[in-house]
Amino acid sequence: MTSIVIPALDEGARLAATLVSLAGQEGDFEVVVCWAGDCAWPPSVPYPLRAEPARAVGRAAQLNQGARAARGDALVFLHADTVLPPGALREAEHLLANPGVAGGAWRLAFDHAHPALALLSRLSALRWRAAYYGDQGFFCRRRDFEAVGGFPDVPLLEDVELARALRGRGRLARAPGIACTSARRFTARGPWRQLGVNAAIVAGHWLGVPAAWLARAYS
């Protein structure tokens, strides 16, 4: 079974749309929503859904809590404002059947048209070290996730750190489907400006700048 773990904080209608979209996925799966704040979702959904009130602050803590509550042998970590493509879980299952693959993510698209976002979408198709982020949806085996200690307790780029740790257990794969995520942060600050901020944060991360400093720049 595959467990889809969704951290959510005050997502409301976006979370509801993501949950509705998951109803069309194929395979044996469950959904675990680790929530805090005012999160709303449909009162009745056609697949197993469990809500785990967040006991700790921070997305990494929510993700780890959801993973502990999950029952699947495979884990998919999905942002509350990201919609997976049709057949996504079958794609992840197929890739994880290869013992040399430790995890992976889907390609990325946005719900808003802009040249900066189109550039990011094209970059997400590359299999380079810095092209695996949480808003693409990230999948791995439970045993590999637990072996590397889960998500590190950092305020930002916990997804990048997990991907780096999993590379010690196998390669990361790029699934062929395209996940669509919200462009709200880009439209709020300006797509090119936010793209520059993101690039500076990633560069700072690889240069060893403390995560707390990077988090302040991102907020």
Side-chain angles (χ1 to χ4, degrees):
M1 181 172 68
T2 297
S3 295
I4 304 172
V5 178
I6 304 176
L9 173 64
D10 296 326
E11 289 293 349
R14 292 185 184 276
L15 174 61
T18 296
L19 293 175
V20 168
S21 73
L22 290 174
Q25 291 292 330
E26 300 175 347
D28 181 20
F29 69 95
E30 66 170 0
V31 179
V32 179
V33 178
C34 196
W35 61 273
D38 181 21
C39 296
W41 53 78
S44 178
V45 288
Y47 51 80
L49 170 67
R50 288 184 291 133
E52 297 282 338
R55 296 188 296 270
V57 177
R59 187 161 59 197
Q62 285 181 277
L63 288 163
N64 286 330
Q65 180 185 328
R68 288 191 297 269
R71 298 171 295 189
D73 296 323
L75 302 173
V76 173
F77 298 102
L78 185 66
H79 287 187
D81 59 358
T82 298
V83 174
L84 292 178
L89 300 186
R90 292 297 192 193
E91 292 176 359
E93 179 183 351
H94 174 73
L95 289 168
L96 291 177
N98 182 342
V101 172
W106 289 270
R107 295 176 58 187
L108 180 65
F110 293 89
D111 61 0
H112 179 79
H114 189 276
L117 303 179
L119 174 61
L120 281 178
S121 296
R122 288 193 293 271
L123 290 175
S124 74
L126 302 177
R127 297 179 183 179
W128 58 309
R129 294 175 63 86
Y132 294 88
Y133 294 96
D135 53 8
Q136 298 168 240
F138 191 89
F139 54 86
C140 62
R141 300 181 194 86
R142 172 187 289 279
R143 65 175 182 270
D144 292 322
F145 177 79
E146 293 176 347
V148 301
F151 287 94
D153 186 16
V154 292
L156 191 68
L157 297 179
E158 74 286 337
D159 45 5
V160 173
E161 286 300 301
L162 176 64
R164 178 158 60 177
L166 285 171
R167 286 190 191 95
R169 298 183 62 82
R171 69 178 179 89
L172 299 186
R174 173 73 64 228
I178 300 176
C180 184
T181 194
S182 171
R184 53 185 166 171
R185 182 177 289 272
F186 287 90
T187 56
R189 182 175 277 181
W192 287 116
R193 182 182 179 188
Q194 185 64 53
L195 178 60
V197 169
N198 288 3
I201 287 174
V202 171
H205 172 74
W206 291 112
L207 291 172
V209 177
W213 295 6
L214 298 177
R216 286 196 293 270
Y218 188 68
S219 63

